[in-house]
Amino acid sequence: MTSSPRGRLELPNYSPSTSPQRGAPESPVKRRRFLQLTDENGGEMTIEAFLYQSDEYRSTTASIPFPLPLVPGRYPEALNKRLQNDVDLRSSLYNLLERHQVIVKRMSFEILSKLGYPRGGSKPTPTLQIASEHLDSAGRHQWSSAKRGCQAILEERNIQAEVEIIDLNRAFIPTLLPIHPEDPHIAAYESFRQRLISYVISELGNQWCSLCIYAVEHNHNAGRTYQIVLMVPPFTVYGWALMTRRIYKHFIDPLPSLTRDIGVTIIPGVTSAMLADNEESERDDNANGKSFYSTLTALPSIGASIGVMGAKGGGTLGGYVSLKQSNQIQRCILTTSHVVQPASTISKAHTDSYLKSGVNLPTLSNDNMQDPRRSNVHTMAIKDINATRSAAQKTIARIHRTRAEQQAMERELYNRLKQQEEAKPEREQSDLAHLFQHSLKMEPIPVGSLVRAEEDKIHQEMKGRDTSLLDIRISGLKKATDYANSILAICNSMPRTIGKVYYASGAGLSAAGQTLDFALVAPDPNDKDLLNHAATDNYLPPRPAFEGKEPQDFECLAEDYTYPEQVRGVGSLVKGEWYFKKGRTTGITVGVCHGTETYVRMAAGHRTKYLANGTKDPSFNPYPSYTSELMIVTSKTRELKDPSSRAFSQPGDSGAMVIGVAGTVDGLNVGFVCGLCGPAIHPDIFTTGERGSREGEIDSDKSDPTKVTEYAAPCGVVMSMDVVQDHLRMTAQGASLIVP
């Protein structure tokens, strides 16, 4: 990759004269800053190499040191048995590590990968992972020699594996957390943020993702610091030490001493805008569908999966609102514009026109509801229908396997009882008729033509069982089968058309430079059930557990808030307040509106900027450029001692309403920002392809973790509803949204 032209800022002399092994500070955070600015990190390199060379608590033989954390795959039992049983192998490794002063806390083989990361990150790699403690006397140069020696020992024994020595308590695994808007570091950052983004663009062009300040926890007990976090695409090449020095000199060092403790962190990242550079964005036909096996209903509710004709992917049904225009009220479904844009596979010209101009409201004089840009919207997205149908079919197959196994065991029980009775004198034999009573309770369960014949056969063979042992188990299996059949029936009736695009903003920017991305879908007027549902369904999902609010960061605990059972009213986002959403991919997630806006690189393609009076800005150059966005950032969970974030938003969550603790619709989820270095692994970070069953399915077949392609995004890009209301008033004859 060719680097962009250099900026004109003067290069300060920040390189320390001593090596990291002599005189480096003891704090992991300060040591990392020290290493960032050494001569060793000078020159151009990939962002991955820069992170690795700045982290002296990790040493690996891997040719590409993918950013932490790496995800363990299936346990390599054979390799670890050999490590345990081969005395010569173990002693050779331990003796070598002892000579290099490496304290071994744990040593085992793992199958590691960086899920979803380009250039082979998802490839499972056998790795001998040595968990250690870093000592000043055994610096990284000792670890480097030790890892190479360990790999040589493995190669001598024909064991093909990488070697990684790591201090898991200190290695760089950052967690991004929100900052209160009244924190003085916010004001300090905002004093130079505009100049800083100009500098970043002058240096990197469009090779960046997002820029903002966060509270960052670096790892276990490492403390919390304030960091300007610049995210760049994976494998971007640049002189990162040079850029870090310049940011310190020209933006941070001139600050008052109270806020001069702000640091600089550059990590690889991804945003929804980057994905949007590829057509279909979140509507990726190749991504895994999500199973709604445990929650599917015939009529869609808040957070349901929706899509359009010609696209397998989709997004989220935000909820039901009303568009008020003069004395007329139109019931609508609220979502984002890009979720319901026409599929380019059908007509690229219609898609381009839609993105550039959106779709205006129909008028009495011009009822243009047949405009081909007005997509027919259906539930669910095709890939989600397929995933849900597959889950139901697997459940039924598992039930049949379970019932067949039970049938064999119960037939054996009956034969044993019968033999015991026949061994008795004739006058003492019991009437065995009661053992047949259970068959009177069993009726063949329709599960489809492919399995009905086998089901009938099993039903005939079930005569002669002990009812006392079967009633509870058979009742549960029958209920599970009935439920699975009901889900199959719903899936077979889908996709169900729920309406047509009534109004859409297209790919727009507000006068304040924020994303303008919303759409209204008019329900099908002939679908009476849906119309009745739309008039009454804005019930909130079960109350989420507002976890992890730090009292020192925010004024009160979110558990103190209450809100009504239904969504009531339209509001606006307020920095520092708690919000939640229910999205198609991640379900219910909560977070805090970050104390400052985030710069996000704008996607390539059509973009229209509107002036304050609602007219289009004819002088706007849409690319390359950026937007300044509000974000919801997930906070540290209180029940976890380690730094950890849950994903607030992932691909497929666009369109979800962002709801305040008072029950008002205050925003709309329009995208995400995700760092690809950290946060610490948490069980619900990856929601597709995870090991084990999903959505409460009975089938427990293991999934391949390497198939995960979704990103864990602690930061959700959100659009405040006051931006929507202002745009409607200016462009839709004074219309406004209401939630009665």
Side-chain angles (χ1 to χ4, degrees):
M1 182 184 300
T2 302
S3 60
S4 58
R6 295 287 181 267
R8 296 182 178 274
L9 295 179
E10 178 185 355
L11 172 63
N13 183 14
Y14 266 52
S15 299
S17 58
T18 57
S19 69
Q21 284 73 41
R22 300 194 309 272
E26 295 182 0
S27 162
V29 176
K30 292 181 179 179
R31 291 174 78 94
R32 182 173 175 276
R33 173 173 173 176
F34 185 91
L35 287 173
Q36 281 180 323
L37 305 176
T38 58
D39 292 329
E40 181 182 336
N41 279 336
E44 294 188 347
M45 63 184 69
T46 65
I47 183 59
E48 291 77 13
F50 179 68
L51 285 177
Y52 177 63
Q53 293 188 23
S54 302
D55 187 358
E56 66 175 337
Y57 302 103
R58 179 193 184 199
S59 187
T60 178
T61 60
S63 58
I64 300 178
F66 292 108
L68 297 174
L70 304 182
V71 179
R74 292 183 176 87
Y75 184 72
E77 186 173 353
L79 285 173
N80 282 298
K81 280 186 176 180
R82 182 170 179 182
L83 180 63
Q84 181 179 3
N85 299 329
D86 190 332
V87 177
D88 179 63
L89 171 62
R90 285 177 58 83
S91 61
S92 298
L93 290 170
Y94 275 101
N95 289 338
L96 183 142
L97 292 168
E98 184 178 1
R99 290 197 303 270
H100 287 83
Q101 304 178 43
V102 178
I103 298 177
V104 180
K105 299 176 65 175
R106 179 184 57 81
M107 180 167 60
S108 64
F109 283 99
E110 300 287 348
I111 305 297
L112 300 178
S113 60
K114 182 69 174 178
L115 302 178
Y117 212 85
R119 299 194 188 179
S122 293
K123 180 182 178 181
T125 303
T127 304
L128 178 64
Q129 189 176 69
I130 303 167
S132 179
E133 288 182 345
H134 175 83
L135 299 177
D136 290 340
S137 59
R140 194 176 187 183
H141 63 293
Q142 293 278 47
W143 281 16
S144 181
S145 299
K147 73 183 179 188
R148 290 193 296 268
C150 288
Q151 190 170 49
I153 291 174
L154 297 180
E155 290 175 348
E156 289 174 358
R157 292 159 175 80
N158 295 319
I159 299 176
Q160 301 300 317
E162 303 293 348
V163 177
E164 179 177 71
I165 306 176
I166 186 169
D167 184 341
L168 291 169
N169 289 325
R170 298 180 180 179
F172 184 57
I173 309 177
T175 298
L176 308 185
L177 301 172
I179 305 176
H180 196 280
E182 296 180 4
D183 190 301
H185 292 83
I186 291 291
Y189 168 71
E190 291 181 340
S191 69
F192 61 76
R193 66 189 290 264
Q194 183 62 58
R195 291 186 292 117
L196 179 58
I197 188 61
S198 297
Y199 166 67
V200 169
I201 293 176
S202 72
E203 294 289 320
L204 299 178
N206 64 353
Q207 293 300 308
W208 66 284
C209 305
S210 70
L211 176 69
C212 194
I213 186 173
Y214 299 89
V216 177
E217 287 192 358
H218 298 264
N219 213 321
H220 308 259
N221 304 317
R224 180 178 299 185
T225 63
Y226 296 93
Q227 297 282 321
I228 295 172
V229 179
L230 171 63
M231 297 186 191
V232 299
F235 297 102
T236 301
V237 176
Y238 191 73
W240 302 114
L242 169 64
M243 172 170 280
T244 302
R245 294 169 182 165
R246 290 178 171 176
I247 292 175
Y248 275 120
K249 177 180 180 180
H250 294 280
F251 302 101
I252 297 176
D253 287 354
L255 293 174
S257 59
L258 179 64
T259 55
R260 207 178 296 154
D261 58 345
I262 296 175
V264 178
T265 295
I266 306 175
I267 60 175
V270 66
T271 68
S272 49
M274 287 174 61
L275 298 184
D277 283 340
N278 302 317
E279 285 192 26
E280 298 305 319
S281 181
E282 299 178 68
R283 300 191 326 202
D284 183 0
D285 293 351
N286 297 318
N288 295 331
K290 178 178 178 179
S291 167
F292 287 82
Y293 177 77
S294 62
T295 59
L296 183 63
T297 56
L299 294 172
S301 299
I302 291 177
S305 166
I306 58 175
V308 299
M309 183 177 64
K312 293 182 181 179
T316 297
L317 183 152
Y320 297 98
V321 298
S322 294
L323 180 69
K324 183 177 181 181
Q325 185 180 15
S326 300
N327 295 325
Q328 296 181 344
I329 293 181
Q330 170 67 48
R331 195 67 172 164
C332 293
I333 296 167
L334 177 64
T335 186
T336 55
S337 179
H338 74 263
V339 165
V340 295
Q341 72 184 43
S344 59
T345 54
I346 296 179
S347 173
K348 190 175 186 306
H350 292 157
T351 302
D352 292 344
S353 175
Y354 177 96
L355 292 172
K356 186 175 182 179
S357 303
V359 177
N360 293 325
L361 292 175
T363 62
L364 294 177
S365 59
N366 182 21
D367 185 4
N368 57 349
M369 287 300 290
Q370 300 307 313
D371 186 333
R373 298 176 301 167
R374 298 185 187 273
S375 301
N376 285 312
V377 182
H378 57 69
T379 186
M380 295 184 295
I382 299 298
K383 64 180 181 182
D384 295 337
I385 297 174
N386 295 336
T388 306
R389 180 185 291 113
S390 175
Q393 291 170 340
K394 287 182 179 180
T395 299
I396 291 173
R398 180 60 180 268
I399 290 172
H400 275 276
R401 291 196 299 269
T402 302
R403 289 184 61 177
E405 293 168 358
Q406 289 184 349
Q407 182 264 339
M409 291 187 294
E410 291 151 3
R411 184 166 56 243
E412 180 182 355
L413 172 63
Y414 169 74
N415 291 334
R416 188 164 62 248
L417 293 173
K418 185 176 181 180
Q419 290 173 3
Q420 292 174 357
E421 290 296 319
E422 291 176 346
K424 297 178 181 179
E426 183 175 351
R427 64 178 179 276
E428 297 179 8
Q429 291 182 6
S430 302
D431 182 6
L432 296 177
H434 72 279
L435 296 177
F436 291 85
Q437 292 176 0
H438 188 274
S439 64
L440 300 177
K441 300 179 182 179
M442 295 300 301
E443 297 178 0
I445 303 173
V447 291
S449 58
L450 295 179
V451 295
R452 186 174 293 112
E454 179 67 17
E455 180 69 19
D456 291 340
K457 179 180 178 181
I458 293 175
H459 172 67
Q460 293 299 322
E461 292 179 356
M462 291 183 69
K463 295 180 180 180
R465 297 186 181 181
D466 185 356
T467 59
S468 63
L469 300 177
L470 301 179
D471 284 343
I472 296 178
R473 284 182 292 176
I474 294 298
S475 175
L477 289 176
K478 185 177 186 305
K479 289 180 180 178
T481 308
D482 289 344
Y483 179 78
N485 278 313
S486 69
I487 296 299
L488 273 180
I490 296 175
C491 287
N492 291 336
S493 69
M494 290 182 171
R496 173 177 180 161
T497 299
I498 58 174
K500 181 174 285 191
V501 173
Y502 193 70
Y503 180 89
S505 64
L509 287 178
S510 69
Q514 295 175 329
T515 292
L516 191 62
D517 184 359
F518 72 98
L520 301 171
V521 178
D524 183 353
N526 298 318
D527 192 335
K528 302 303 181 183
D529 291 338
L530 180 62
L531 290 173
N532 292 333
H533 185 68
T536 60
D537 180 69
N538 264 345
Y539 284 93
L540 292 170
R543 179 184 176 87
F546 286 94
E547 299 166 325
K549 195 157 195 180
E550 303 287 345
Q552 66 269 28
D553 290 342
F554 300 94
E555 294 178 357
C556 58
L557 296 177
E559 289 91 332
D560 297 334
Y561 291 115
T562 59
Y563 54 79
E565 293 182 354
Q566 283 183 285
V567 177
R568 296 290 186 186
V570 179
S572 60
L573 295 172
V574 178
K575 296 172 182 175
E577 292 293 323
W578 275 88
Y579 297 94
F580 80 96
K581 65 128 191 64
K582 184 179 181 184
R584 166 259 181 204
T585 305
T586 55
I588 299 174
T589 57
V590 298
V592 177
C593 188
H594 197 33
T596 186
E597 294 179 8
T598 300
Y599 287 123
V600 181
R601 183 181 68 80
M602 190 184 301
H606 298 286
R607 233 2 133 152
T608 300
K609 184 173 182 180
Y610 291 87
L611 301 174
N613 61 5
T615 60
K616 297 178 181 179
D617 183 355
S619 63
F620 177 63
N621 181 19
Y623 189 78
S625 191
Y626 57 88
T627 59
S628 181
E629 307 287 3
L630 291 170
M631 282 201 315
I632 303 293
V633 182
T634 54
S635 186
K636 180 178 178 180
T637 55
R638 265 194 311 207
E639 76 279 8
L640 295 177
K641 296 180 181 179
D642 302 334
S644 177
S645 290
R646 288 182 169 85
F648 183 82
S649 176
Q650 286 184 341
D653 283 333
S654 281
M657 295 192 304
V658 178
I659 302 171
V661 291
T664 54
V665 182
D666 294 336
L668 201 63
N669 189 81
V670 298
F672 62 85
V673 170
C674 175
L676 299 180
C677 179
I681 299 173
H682 192 274
D684 68 354
I685 279 181
F686 296 105
T687 59
T688 61
E690 57 192 344
R691 291 177 287 182
S693 59
R694 282 187 272 153
E695 298 291 329
E697 300 162 24
I698 291 181
D699 192 352
S700 61
D701 294 338
K702 303 293 185 182
S703 299
D704 184 354
T706 63
K707 293 182 179 179
V708 175
T709 56
E710 312 262 348
Y711 298 100
C715 309
V717 178
V718 291
M719 176 181 60
S720 183
M721 288 303 294
D722 56 353
V723 175
V724 175
Q725 297 285 49
D726 290 344
H727 186 72
L728 285 173
R729 279 192 290 268
M730 292 295 182
T731 63
Q733 299 84 45
S736 63
L737 294 181
I738 58 175
V739 180

